Amino acid sequence: ATARMEDMIAGLESQKGLLQFNGLIGLLYEIIHGKQHKLLGFSGKSGSNNHVAYLRLQKMHSFLSEYFYREISIEEVAAILHMSKTSFCRFLKRETGKTFSEHLNAYRIRHACSLLRNSPDSVMQVCYRSGFNNAAYFFRQFKICKDMTPKEYKKLNAGIGQ
């Protein structure tokens, strides 16, 4: 159910008017009646530093959403947050339960899903436009995240969200 919710959220971005409202109602229904829940955002585990952690995560997510399509190093993001590489990795894992690579791949896969739904591009074009420079790695990560291949996803979701 959580992968479905992520897809529903991604689909809301490209919808307008009543379709978007209907999608939101469907998402709320899924949240209320779903059996599995997965935290998609800030977990707030660090006590009194919640606000600082939130601001750091917000800054990281803003950077990733702007530059996900190019190569990004852990050192680069750590420097933007004024942290050492080790501190950044520890902070991110503690606050979100995910590694930097998992966050970056999630952004890239979300973008790939949007392209697969809404563009006539081939799967290989989507791979490279989403920031992956290795097709085999893209296919493997996509399969892990979505439990299907990009081609299956494209066929199943063609035209949704237009």
Side-chain angles (χ1 to χ4, degrees), residues 18-135:
L18 288 175
L19 282 175
Q20 189 177 39
F21 181 74
N22 191 31
L24 180 61
I25 297 300
L27 177 62
L28 292 173
Y29 181 85
E30 187 74 27
I31 291 170
I32 291 168
H33 298 288
K35 301 290 184 227
Q36 291 181 316
H37 296 287
K38 174 182 168 188
L39 186 61
L40 300 177
F42 176 68
S43 65
K45 295 179 183 174
S46 63
S48 64
N49 291 327
N50 282 351
H51 185 66
V52 173
Y54 173 78
L55 292 175
R56 282 181 177 162
L57 290 171
Q58 188 177 40
K59 192 171 188 176
M60 180 197 72
H61 285 288
S62 176
F63 181 81
L64 291 181
S65 68
E66 191 168 345
Y67 299 108
F68 68 89
Y69 59 88
R70 68 170 177 80
E71 188 173 325
I72 300 173
S73 69
I74 295 174
E75 291 84 1
E76 183 180 9
V77 179
I80 288 168
L81 299 177
H82 307 289
M83 300 175 81
S84 71
K85 176 183 173 183
T86 305
S87 295
F88 170 66
C89 290
R90 195 177 317 124
F91 159 78
L92 194 59
K93 188 70 171 180
R94 180 185 70 233
E95 293 299 324
T96 67
K98 294 181 178 180
T99 66
F100 175 71
S101 294
E102 290 170 328
H103 279 280
L104 183 56
N105 284 337
Y107 267 94
R108 290 175 172 169
I109 296 295
R110 272 196 298 277
H111 183 70
C113 287
S114 178
L115 290 174
L116 290 167
R117 280 193 310 271
N118 301 312
S119 80
D121 294 348
S122 71
V123 172
M124 290 305 293
Q125 289 170 317
V126 167
C127 166
Y128 295 115
R129 285 184 59 197
S130 300
F132 290 94
N133 57 12
N134 180 312

